[in-house]
Amino acid sequence: MQITVKTKDNQKDSFAVRKAVFMEEQGYKNEFDETDNICDYVTVYCDDRLAGTGRVFFSEKENAFVFGRIAVLKEFRGLHFGTIILAELEKIAKEKGGKCAVLLSQAYAVGFYQKSGFSLCDDSVIYDEGQPHRRMKKIF
């Protein structure tokens, strides 16, 4: 199994994963937004097949880098591609001078992010298109 990662010229691939996972599989309607215009994207490939994605941008409001839209196609889950994506997002943030990252995790995925060093910001639950999410943070 050959794993490769792209961090340039990959927005189209990122959008393809997000459409498949968030819209077609999970039923989200409002997947794409104006923030997409300012993001860096990570895409991961397995034997030259697109497997997953994530995005990162700096938020002045949060005074932190925001990780988001992290998704792995169904046939590649359980192969640690999510961990690879997170590490690459963190690498981008650090290269840009970042000291911390925040994200909004789907409630069922909190444990995954905790394994990568994120912690819950508080006890509140935020609903996005009816799905429960939790705010998380990681200091680098």
Side-chain angles (χ1 to χ4, degrees):
M1 185 166 63
Q2 180 185 4
I3 299 167
T4 54
V5 175
K6 285 179 69 174
T7 58
K8 303 278 187 233
D9 303 319
N10 59 348
Q11 186 186 60
K12 183 178 176 182
D13 282 353
S14 179
F15 284 11
V17 172
R18 290 166 51 188
K19 182 180 178 201
V21 172
F22 295 123
M23 297 178 82
E24 294 169 7
E25 185 181 330
Q26 297 182 0
Y28 284 81
K29 304 286 186 239
N30 301 304
E31 174 53 26
F32 303 100
D33 58 28
E34 66 283 346
T35 303
D36 282 316
N37 298 322
I38 63 167
C39 292
D40 288 298
Y41 296 91
V42 168
T43 45
V44 64
Y45 305 81
C46 177
D47 297 329
D48 295 325
R49 291 177 51 217
L50 181 60
T53 192
R55 75 179 189 180
V56 58
F57 66 94
F58 182 77
S59 166
E60 289 187 23
K61 178 183 171 191
E62 299 274 357
N63 193 30
F65 280 84
V66 178
F67 294 1
R69 305 306 206 265
I70 298 163
V72 174
L73 295 171
K74 191 180 291 187
E75 62 265 33
F76 296 102
R77 293 186 191 146
L79 300 174
H80 306 287
F81 290 115
T83 301
I84 292 168
I85 293 164
L86 274 179
E88 291 293 327
L89 293 172
E90 187 172 324
K91 182 177 171 184
I92 291 168
K94 286 178 178 178
E95 287 171 355
K96 294 183 176 210
K99 304 286 186 224
C100 70
V102 296
L103 58 79
L104 197 58
S105 169
Q106 291 181 344
Y108 76 87
V110 166
F112 163 74
Y113 292 109
Q114 287 173 324
K115 289 177 188 174
S116 290
F118 282 84
S119 57
L120 291 169
C121 293
D122 54 40
D123 291 333
S124 65
V125 176
I126 299 161
Y127 287 86
D128 180 13
E129 294 196 44
Q131 300 299 316
H133 289 68
R134 304 291 305 275
R135 281 185 42 81
M136 301 187 80
K137 184 175 188 173
K138 180 178 181 179
I139 307 295
F140 307 143

